Amino acid sequence: MILVPLAAALAATALQAQTAPAQSAPTQSAPADTTSAQGTAGQASSAPAASDQAKVAVGAAVSDQSGAPVGTIETIADGNAVISTGTNKVAVPLTAIGPGANGLVTTVTRAQLDATAAAGPAQVKAMLVPGASVKGKEGTEIGTVKAADDKLVTITTGKGDVRVPAESFAVQSGGLVVGMTADQFAAAVAKSPAPAKKRRG
């Protein structure tokens, strides 16, 4: 049995940056494209390029489609921007953030992000059942859940059974996701010390 020390590996990811397990924020209708200002958030055809008007960057303020403040971008990584609402930090896909009339606009409200963060732990716990598929955050399957408790989850992988801290999981696109890519996970497993063999008397 291999125990993967994920804390250090996860520290640099957007998922680990959250106070609650990362959740993909719910999207409504077609999100604004961050690469084009034309036809989004009521922009006129003569509007300036998105790069000139609003950039998705750390420290940028984000509003919802009604103009109400949502929060501030804290980190950007792996196709997600972690938005701090002042209460929670939630990863939102960059495809759900785009330029608006007065800055960046996202397809979700502050209330929806806070609700996502609040529901996250319970949703993850409910899905950590034997046989459940586990994927890396890029969508590649890593293995399946063999057993789980409040602290550790045992995943059956091609390299054998691996134990992962329970807080490393999130629910994304309706499935379980661990806070690193499949390649990062494999590298963490490879670097983990082999379990000590018991001596036979």
Side-chain angles (χ1 to χ4, degrees):
M1 182 79 69
I2 300 172
L3 177 59
V4 179
L6 295 184
L10 289 172
T13 69
L15 292 178
Q16 185 68 9
Q18 300 175 100
T19 57
Q23 301 296 309
S24 288
T27 56
Q28 307 163 341
S29 69
D33 187 346
T34 59
T35 62
S36 174
Q38 304 301 320
T40 60
Q43 295 300 298
S45 60
S46 60
S51 59
D52 295 330
Q53 183 180 17
K55 292 183 178 180
V56 179
V58 173
V62 182
S63 300
D64 63 25
Q65 293 177 322
S66 71
V70 172
T72 303
I73 296 176
E74 288 213 343
T75 60
I76 299 173
D78 304 307
N80 293 299
V82 174
I83 297 178
S84 173
T85 66
T87 303
N88 297 288
K89 298 177 183 179
V90 185
V92 176
L94 292 177
T95 53
I97 304 173
N102 298 302
L104 293 175
V105 174
T106 183
T107 57
V108 292
T109 66
R110 174 179 289 180
Q112 286 174 321
L113 290 188
D114 285 336
T116 296
Q123 187 178 14
V124 170
K125 186 174 182 179
M127 295 185 68
L128 284 172
V129 295
S133 175
V134 177
K135 296 182 179 180
K137 61 183 180 181
E138 86 292 5
T140 301
E141 185 167 355
I142 288 174
T144 58
V145 174
K146 182 177 182 179
D149 57 34
D150 290 339
K151 293 184 178 180
L152 291 171
V153 177
T154 302
I155 303 176
T156 298
T157 73
K159 299 292 184 180
D161 289 349
V162 178
R163 299 175 73 189
V164 180
E167 66 267 20
S168 304
F169 292 84
V171 175
Q172 184 172 309
S173 300
L176 284 171
V177 174
V178 69
M180 55 173 60
T181 65
D183 288 342
Q184 289 171 331
F185 185 86
V189 170
K191 291 178 181 178
S192 299
K197 294 183 179 180
K198 293 182 179 180
R199 292 183 179 180
R200 294 183 179 180

